[in-house]
Amino acid sequence: MDMMRKLVAGNWKMNGTRADGVALARDLAGRYAGLTDPSFDMLICPPATLLAPVGEAIAKSGLALGGQDCHPEDSGAFTGDISATMLGDIGARFVIVGHSERRQNHGESDHEVAAKAGAAHRAGLTAIVCIGETLEQRDGGEALAVCSRQLAGSIPSTATAANTVIAYEPVWAIGTGRAATADDVSQVHDHLRADIASRIADASAVRLLYGGSVKAANAGELMQVANVDGALVGGASLKADEFWGIAKHCG
Ligand code: 13P
């Protein structure tokens, strides 16, 4: 993967049967493989049950495969969990950690997210570390402070520009149809870029994704914002035309 290209990543969340997941993956793989000189990177993060069949469907297409979460340990007595080593073994090269749905629904702390990102690095995966403020925090004028705090706590010491992607996903914009404005995104991403300079060598090469109600219709504006290096897409990544429409704005 070319580090300087934008990354368009689809987080399927808890959606998809084998039949429709494989059909969607095949559709996207065909489109991507048909590009003579792709100008963006594309990643699919299906639910764990679909990692193997989706991995097969996108093999040799140039699309990358990722998990949606991993355990901080490499193996052991952790019923129901999946390790980064296992994800790597099945062909994943990325894993999302610290998604707000994990932080909210499973009580994940910054410390735990950093441990998960560290496990991803040990397994040779790129960690997509998610951060973002709630509406209450934004309305209270704390958006930048919250993002800084989460970033500081969630990035392990092993982070480099090659093994870490940061995703800014304001909680109020996720699945609401209310994407952040280009101005909001610009302010936060500029802040994050400055923030990571003290934590990650070669900070200018770290990809900063925006996520939260990204659609083909708003991706043009959002993907043009300085310091936005791609999109982390939920709902719209489940529709091939819509996801592809977003990707077109990442080229
Ligand atoms: P939506 O694109 O559905 O708002 O979800 C964003 C997200 O949470 C991606 O991780």
Side-chain angles (χ1 to χ4, degrees):
M1 272 195 189
D2 180 338
M3 297 282 299
M4 302 316 286
R5 290 201 301 217
K6 281 191 170 51
L7 172 64
V8 54
N11 174 8
W12 290 4
K13 307 190 179 181
M14 197 174 72
N15 292 292
T17 59
R18 197 155 47 158
D20 55 35
V22 167
L24 174 57
R26 277 208 189 112
D27 185 336
L28 292 167
R31 296 184 201 218
Y32 194 80
L35 299 172
T36 35
D37 185 16
S39 51
F40 55 87
D41 294 324
M42 185 173 265
L43 165 68
I44 299 179
C45 301
T49 51
L50 298 185
L51 281 166
V54 165
E56 271 173 43
I58 66 175
K60 299 194 175 75
S61 67
L63 294 195
L65 183 71
Q68 298 178 9
D69 179 45
C70 66
H71 193 275
E73 300 294 333
D74 299 334
S75 64
F78 303 104
T79 302
D81 284 310
I82 294 175
S83 74
T85 311
M86 292 167 170
L87 291 173
D89 182 53
I90 207 154
R93 290 166 48 208
F94 290 79
V95 60
I96 298 167
V97 294
H99 192 282
S100 64
E101 288 152 14
R102 303 279 328 165
R103 291 177 185 265
Q104 283 184 337
N105 303 337
H106 299 269
E108 290 186 10
S109 64
D110 291 338
H111 182 75
E112 194 172 358
V113 174
K116 290 180 173 205
H121 295 160
R122 282 197 305 280
L125 304 187
T126 295
I128 301 180
V129 181
C130 301
I131 58 166
E133 82 285 357
T134 63
L135 188 57
E136 199 182 7
Q137 290 166 331
R138 173 157 285 268
D139 289 345
E142 297 168 50
L144 297 180
V146 168
C147 288
S148 282
R149 193 175 69 230
Q150 289 185 344
L151 193 67
S154 307
I155 302 287
S157 59
T158 47
T160 67
N163 68 16
T164 304
V165 172
I166 313 286
Y168 169 54
E169 296 206 312
V171 176
W172 47 272
I174 295 176
T176 59
R178 182 188 161 193
T181 65
D183 282 348
D184 292 338
V185 175
S186 172
Q187 190 192 28
V188 174
H189 279 235
D190 287 355
H191 181 78
L192 294 177
R193 182 74 70 197
D195 240 22
I196 55 176
S198 60
R199 298 180 195 290
I200 306 180
D202 206 9
S204 63
V206 175
R207 290 200 275 202
L208 304 180
L209 311 185
Y210 167 74
S213 296
V214 178
K215 311 261 182 277
N218 60 20
E221 194 187 359
L222 291 166
M223 292 301 111
Q224 267 174 31
V225 174
N227 283 320
V228 171
D229 308 304
L232 182 53
V233 185
S237 73
L238 296 169
K239 299 175 206 138
D241 286 340
E242 194 65 24
F243 193 49
W244 195 252
I246 293 167
K248 288 292 204 40
H249 292 292
C250 290

